[in-house]
Amino acid sequence: MKGTSLDIKDLQLNALLEVTQAVNNNLPEDDLLKIYKFTLLADLKINKLALFTERSGEWVCRVNFGTKNDLLGSELPEKYKELKNQIGLVDATFDEFDSVFPVYHKNKLLSVVFIETDSKLGVQDRFLNALTNIILVAIENKRLARQQMEQEAYRRELEIAKKVQNFLFPKELPKIERLQIEAFYLPHHDVGGDYYDYIQIDENKFLACIADVSGKGVPAALLMSNFQASLRALVRQTKDLKDIIEELNLTTYVSGNAENFITFFAGIYDFKTKELEYINCGHNEIILKKSDGIELLNDGTTVLGMFDPLPFIETKRIKNLDEFFLFTYTDGLTETFNEEDEAFEFERLLKILKDDCPQDLSEFHNQILEALNQFKGNKPFHDDITMLSCRIQNK
């Protein structure tokens, strides 16, 4: 009897040493579970075992041996997820086992273990529970460490993307008598998928644009940064708006793998000819306010990046424009919702624009923001909001 007790202690000590060494060697999760399995088989003489843990939101069997049926990958019945103490088994599903016990760490359930032991050996269930706890706590700590590393990597990636995005927007916008441009940008996350720009083409022409990429966060910001770089390079090569759009579409199609798309509006104004050439690529209705009323700029093509070549494309010229106001925006503005889940919508925006051309563009943007905040109440914004306004006095 005394010898048997010493043998058991030796077996437990060997098992503890093997598991501890495996943990200290920082082995991968699957390797830790393999060592746990073989330690139970070789040192503790466990006849049958099924260990269930949570993985990707599902409780499945990760370690199994000795059973008639292979339980690996099988799901744990819901009633065992509420288990607090070890119990004997009268469950037909697990009738091969003697008992089942839960393993907790800081009130969190880490695993549920079904076992059948050699009664002659008299292995203490408390020791098996402790050994299982060591392995699973080590795995849990590895998971938390990996999660922390991933979060840190994402934080660094986010920081880089934010810096990249800051370079997207022009540092200065013209504010002279004949040309005033004002922009407002409110990202939903730290980085977003909206973009606006002002590019001086020559002494008489400039391009103003606004864009919105599908998706949010870092991928959207990086796709948009590539789009901006392509646009600026193309404008240096050609003034043909149709050619620019066709090349931008191809670039976006390749960069986004035809899975992401960009809505885009661009207008080129010529102070000499007093003409505005524009194209709307699946973007929102753009508002042009003239002395004789409001015109909506919708002509162009479909979104960029989904088709190559574009199924249709058309630019439009508006002549005799010497004094006007151009208002561009992304759909985060009109798709702001209130507490009754009603959208702000285009009609409310038009009502704000019913008066004369705004003199102070920054104040005008604040007016729209105030209307948005009053409309949404306590409901948060759910998308990036960007506005670009342009006021021309060319008389």
Side-chain angles (χ1 to χ4, degrees):
M1 188 72 180
K2 186 176 179 180
T4 303
S5 178
L6 288 174
D7 289 341
I8 293 172
K9 292 295 182 183
D10 286 342
L11 290 172
Q12 291 178 349
L13 182 59
N14 287 336
L16 186 60
L17 286 173
E18 288 183 29
V19 168
T20 303
Q21 285 176 354
V23 171
N24 290 339
N25 289 334
N26 198 28
L27 296 179
E29 179 178 333
D30 288 341
D31 288 349
L32 287 177
L33 289 176
K34 286 178 183 177
I35 289 172
Y36 171 75
K37 172 182 176 179
F38 291 122
T39 299
L40 298 186
L41 279 168
D43 293 336
L44 297 186
K45 310 300 182 184
I46 302 296
N47 297 328
K48 297 178 181 180
L49 179 134
L51 179 142
F52 289 80
T53 64
E54 186 181 11
R55 196 174 200 180
S56 303
E58 295 183 349
W59 280 84
V60 296
C61 183
R62 301 285 304 283
V63 179
N64 176 224
F65 59 82
T67 56
K68 297 175 184 176
N69 299 317
D70 185 5
L71 297 177
L72 282 177
S74 61
E75 294 186 9
L76 179 69
E78 284 293 326
K79 64 180 180 180
Y80 291 109
K81 298 175 188 177
E82 305 297 326
L83 199 61
K84 298 299 179 184
N85 300 297
Q86 181 167 348
I87 60 171
L89 279 169
V90 291
D91 191 328
T93 307
F94 299 100
D95 59 1
E96 294 185 66
F97 300 100
D98 294 333
S99 62
V100 55
F101 64 87
V103 177
Y104 283 88
H105 178 63
K106 295 182 179 179
N107 297 320
K108 179 181 180 180
L109 181 64
L110 297 184
S111 73
V112 176
V113 184
F114 296 82
I115 58 169
E116 182 196 86
T117 61
D118 189 337
S119 58
K120 294 180 181 179
L121 189 62
V123 174
Q124 297 178 11
D125 292 338
R126 182 182 295 180
F127 179 79
L128 178 58
N129 193 319
L131 195 67
T132 306
N133 190 280
I134 290 172
I135 283 286
L136 293 176
V137 168
I139 291 173
E140 177 72 1
N141 288 338
K142 287 173 70 69
R143 184 189 67 80
L144 292 174
R146 184 170 61 249
Q147 186 180 62
Q148 187 175 5
M149 289 176 63
E150 289 171 354
Q151 289 174 346
E152 180 61 23
Y154 179 76
R155 186 194 64 77
R156 289 196 299 269
E157 185 181 74
L158 199 64
E159 191 175 308
I160 293 170
K162 193 172 183 179
K163 289 179 180 178
V164 169
Q165 190 174 47
N166 286 336
F167 287 112
L168 292 182
F169 304 118
K171 292 181 179 179
E172 293 183 1
L173 294 171
K175 291 178 175 59
I176 55 178
E177 185 175 350
R178 71 172 186 170
L179 173 61
Q180 295 180 45
I181 295 183
E182 186 72 36
F184 172 84
Y185 174 57
L186 178 66
H188 179 236
H189 298 290
D190 287 339
V191 293
D194 285 3
Y195 159 64
Y196 66 85
D197 212 343
Y198 161 81
I199 304 172
Q200 187 72 42
I201 298 175
D202 57 35
E203 61 181 8
N204 293 314
K205 292 182 180 180
F206 72 88
L207 179 145
C209 66
I210 194 165
D212 185 0
V213 64
S214 61
K216 297 179 177 66
V218 174
L222 294 178
L223 180 59
M224 193 59 81
S225 67
N226 186 55
F227 182 85
Q228 184 253 20
S230 299
L231 172 62
R232 286 183 165 262
L234 287 166
V235 170
R236 287 195 297 269
Q237 297 170 16
T238 178
K239 298 179 180 63
D240 189 306
L241 192 53
K242 185 177 178 181
D243 288 346
I244 290 172
I245 294 302
E246 287 176 337
E247 287 300 319
L248 282 175
N249 177 67
L250 177 59
T251 299
T252 308
Y253 183 84
V254 173
S255 299
N257 297 314
E259 296 175 356
N260 296 92
F261 61 86
I262 293 177
T263 67
F264 181 60
F265 173 87
I268 295 177
Y269 182 73
D270 190 328
F271 281 97
K272 188 175 182 180
T273 63
K274 297 184 178 182
E275 286 185 354
L276 174 69
E277 183 184 15
Y278 81 85
I279 188 165
N280 190 324
C281 308
H283 202 72
N284 315 303
E285 293 183 294
I286 299 302
I287 301 169
L288 177 67
K289 190 171 179 59
K290 306 176 290 182
S291 57
D292 59 349
I294 288 177
E295 183 176 346
L296 303 181
L297 309 185
N298 295 319
D299 295 311
T301 184
T302 187
V303 297
L304 304 181
M306 290 296 289
F307 308 98
D308 181 46
L310 288 165
F312 60 93
I313 183 169
E314 175 189 10
T315 65
K316 187 172 181 180
R317 292 179 182 270
I318 304 174
K319 299 182 179 181
N320 301 317
L321 281 178
D322 53 13
E323 186 171 356
F324 65 91
F325 171 67
L326 182 71
F327 180 69
T328 72
Y329 60 97
T330 55
D331 58 12
L333 194 161
T334 50
E335 293 179 5
T336 294
F337 289 85
N338 63 15
E339 294 173 0
E340 285 73 44
D341 282 332
E342 298 172 326
F344 187 77
E345 294 183 345
F346 183 69
E347 288 70 23
R348 288 186 175 87
L349 180 60
L350 271 181
K351 288 180 182 179
I352 300 174
L353 283 160
K354 66 182 179 181
D355 299 327
D356 295 333
C357 293
Q359 296 297 314
D360 189 323
L361 301 186
S362 179
E363 185 178 327
F364 173 68
H365 287 174
N366 288 334
Q367 183 183 350
I368 293 177
L369 283 175
E370 185 178 344
L372 277 178
N373 282 313
Q374 288 180 356
F375 173 79
K376 75 179 183 65
N378 293 322
K379 192 103 173 192
F381 291 114
H382 76 284
D383 199 359
D384 307 329
I385 294 177
T386 303
M387 297 180 280
L388 181 73
S389 294
C390 176
R391 188 170 188 270
I392 299 288
Q393 292 177 302
N394 185 27
K395 286 188 176 181

